[in-house]
Amino acid sequence: MPLLDVRGVGKRFGGVQALQDVSTVVHRGEIVGLIGPNGAGKTTLFNCISGVESPDSGRIAFEDRDLLGMPPHRRARLGIARTFQNLQLFGSMTVLENCMVSYDAFAHRGMLADALKLPWARFEEHRARERALATLHFLDIEEFADLRAQDLPTGMQRRVELARALCLRPSLLLLDEPAAGLDADETIELAGFLRKARERLDVSMLLVDHDMSLVMRVCDHITVLDFGRVIAAGDPPAIRSDPVVITAYLGEAA
Amino acid sequence: MTPATLRRILIPVGFAIVAILPSFYDFALQGLAGRAVAAALLALSLVLLTGMVGQVSFCQYSFAALGAFTVGSLVVGHGVNFWFAALLGTAFAGVGGVLVGIPALRLRGLLLAVLTVAVALFFDVFLLAPGTWDGFSGGTLAWPLVPFPSIFGHLMDNYTFYLFSLAVFAIAALLVWNLRNGKTGRVLRAVRDSEVASSTLGLNVAGWKLAAFGVSAALAGLAGALQAVATGSVAGGSQSAYSFQYSVALVATITVFGASSIFSATAAGFFIVFAPQLLDMIPGLSHNWWPLILGAILIVQLVTSPDGVVVKTQRDIAHLMHRLAQRRRPAVAAAHSEAA
C-alpha cells in the first residue's frame, strides 16, 4: 500500500489547464522528486495534496484514506506536513514559537485551561517547548530559538520552516523548493538533513526543486511535469538521460 | 530591574490608585469612573481581536449594547437578578460575536471593517432605536434607572459598584494576559501571520477566528452590562451610549495607544471617558472638539509610531533597562550581543 497515491489529478484555472491527469506515488521511506520547468504545475499539485486547493478531477489517497474534500488542518493531523516556496513563517514570532505551533494543534487544552493556567496547560506548554527545542537541535539551529523568524536570512528561514514541518511529526513531508536561495554548501547540508530525517524520524518526502544536484542526490524516484502533464517518471539516472526531459528543460532547439 | 519586576510593582500600585481615587469624588465623577472601567474592558476585547488575531471591529459597542440592553430589560422590566442577567447578556453578546464572525471569516482588512460598520449601523438604526426593546422589556417605554445590584445581601452604591467593576476588569485582564502568553496567544498570532501555514500545521483557522470573535464580543457584552448599571441607564436612540461613533472612537483610541498591549487597553478606557471631560475644563474648548482632536492625535501617531504610544513606550523602557544592565555587566552583555 503506497503512503501517498495521486491518481489522474486535474486542475484548471480559468483558461489554463494547470494539471492534467497527473499521477504519482510515494511509498513509505521514499524520497520522491517532482521536477519540471516554471509553471509546470508543481506547486498546484502540492496545494491539492495539502488541501489548500481542491482538484477538479482525480483522486488523492493517503494511507488508503481519500483526502478529497478534507480541510487542510485535518490532513495535517493525519501526518502530512509541508513547506512553502514563498516562505510562510510566522514572522513576528520567535523560531521556537514557530515550532511550538506545530504541537498546539494536537494539544487537548482549550482556551479556558489556558486562561486559568491549569496545571495540564503548563505541563503541555513545557512539553511542547522541550520537543520543539529537540527538533531545533536536530537541525542544528538551537542557537536561533529566541530570535524573531523574520529577522533571519532566507537560508535560515527555510531551515526553520523545515524544523516547523518536522515538529508536526509527519509521515509525509511535502517540500516546495527547499533549496531556493541556498548556496552550494547549504544545499549539500540540506541534503544531509533530509536523509537524516528520513532515517531517524521515519519521514517520507515529496520534493520539488530546480536544483538538480539536490534532486539527483536525495531522490529515489523522480516524476517530471511539463505544462501540467507527467512527461516522464523513473529513477535519477534514467531521468537524467531521458530525451523528453532534456527537451522540456532546454527547449526544442536542444 | 527587568520589565517583569517593574510590572510587578507598577500594576498593584496603579490599581490601588485607580481604586482609591474615586472615593474622594462626587457621585457624577464616580459614574464616569465606572464608564471608564467599562470602556477599558471594551478596549481589552479589542486587544484580543485586533492585537492578537489582527481582525478589526467597528461594532464593539454594538456587542456592549447586547449586554446592556439584556441587563436593562431583564432587571428593570422583569425583575430578574442582576447577576443572572449580566451572565445572559455576556452570553448573548458572545453568540452575536460568533454570528458576525461567520461572514467575517472570508474577509480581511478593509472589507472586514466595512462588514463591522454595517453591523454597527444595523444596531444603531434598528436595535438601539427607541421602542425596539419595549416588548422584550415588559413595556417599559422610557428606560428608567437600572438599580444597583446587591452582593452578599448588601446593596451596592456607586463607589462599591465601581470597585466591583474594577475587580471584574482585573480578572478579565489577567485571563487575557494568560491567554496571550499561552497556547491560545501563540495560535492566534500564527493565524494572523499566515493563515495558510496555520492550516497546514493542523490548526482549524476558521474555528480559532470564530472563538476569538466570540470571546471578544462576550467581553464587550460584559462591559455593556457593567456600563448599564454604572451610568444607570440604557437609553437608546439619539442618546445611546452604544452607537457607532463610540465604536469608532474606541478603535481610534486603542490604535493610538497600541492594540497589542493590555496596559494600553486600560489607559485607552480611562482616556476615552475622561479626555472629553478635561476638554470641558479648558477655557475656550469643549467636549465638542473631542473627535477633531482625537483624529489629529491618530494621524500624528500613525505617522510617527504605528505600533501605538504605549507599546512604543514599553519598548523604550525595556530597551533602556537593557542598556543599563549592559553597562553593569559588560561581559554578559558582550556574550549576549554575540549570540544575537
Side-chain angles (χ1 to χ4, degrees), chain A residues 88 92 104 109 114-115 125, chain B residues 178 183-184 186 193-194 202:
Chain A
Q88 293 283 345
S92 67
D104 289 334
R109 65 190 196 268
D114 238 6
E125 190 77 3
Chain B
N178 283 345
K183 164 194 155 185
T184 309
R186 188 166 52 235
D193 280 4
S194 171

Side-chain angles (χ1 to χ4, degrees), chain B residues 62-71 73-74 84-100 123 127 133 136 213-214 217-222:
Chain B
S62 308
F63 295 135
L66 277 176
F69 280 59
T70 305
V71 165
S73 303
L74 291 179
F84 181 66
L87 206 65
L88 214 58
T90 306
F92 278 164
V95 172
V98 173
L99 290 180
V100 172
F123 267 76
L127 283 181
W133 288 64
F136 182 58
F213 264 102
L219 277 179
L222 181 62

Side-chain angles (χ1 to χ4, degrees), chain B residues 217-236:
Chain B
L219 277 179
L222 181 62
L226 294 177
Q227 181 168 321
V229 177
T231 56
S233 110
V234 283

Side-chain angles (χ1 to χ4, degrees), chain B residues 204-252:
Chain B
N204 184 348
V205 171
W208 280 103
K209 275 177 152 180
L210 283 184
F213 264 102
V215 173
S216 170
L219 277 179
L222 181 62
L226 294 177
Q227 181 168 321
V229 177
T231 56
S233 110
V234 283
S238 58
Q239 304 146 37
S240 171
Y242 304 95
S243 60
F244 174 53
Q245 52 167 328
Y246 293 101
S247 293
V248 175
L250 183 73
V251 173

Side-chain angles (χ1 to χ4, degrees), chain B residues 89-183:
Chain B
T90 306
F92 278 164
V95 172
V98 173
L99 290 180
V100 172
I102 291 170
L105 281 178
R106 296 190 154 272
L107 307 174
R108 339 190 90 232
L110 186 63
L111 287 175
L112 176 60
V114 171
L115 173 83
T116 60
V117 168
V119 171
L121 292 179
F122 169 76
F123 267 76
D124 277 11
V125 300
F126 179 65
L127 283 181
L128 300 187
T132 307
W133 288 64
D134 287 357
F136 182 58
S137 66
T140 330
L141 283 172
W143 293 95
L145 285 178
V146 181
F148 286 110
S150 310
I151 187 165
F152 305 125
H154 174 83
L155 188 69
M156 290 194 209
D157 64 11
N158 216 356
Y159 179 61
T160 41
F161 187 76
Y162 166 73
L163 286 183
F164 165 72
S165 307
L166 200 60
V168 169
F169 173 75
I171 293 169
L174 183 69
L175 296 186
V176 171
W177 174 265
N178 283 345
L179 277 183
R180 202 178 62 166
N181 293 333
K183 164 194 155 185

Side-chain angles (χ1 to χ4, degrees), chain A residues 23 30 34 56 61 65 85 87 91 98 107 109 112-113 127 146 184 190 215 221 239 243 245 249-250 253:
Chain A
S23 300
E30 270 185 346
L34 190 63
D56 303 328
R65 204 187 309 231
Q85 183 184 352
L87 288 157
N98 264 276
R109 65 190 196 268
L112 193 64
R127 192 174 54 179
D146 293 324
L190 173 70
V215 174
H221 194 87
I239 292 297
V245 176
Y249 263 89
L250 301 178

Side-chain angles (χ1 to χ4, degrees), chain B residues 14-42:
Chain B
F15 256 105
I17 293 172
V18 172
I20 294 165
L21 212 55
S23 68
F24 304 115
Y25 294 168
D26 61 8
F27 189 84
L29 268 176
Q30 284 178 351
L32 279 181
R35 262 179 57 200
V37 174
L41 202 52
L42 274 156

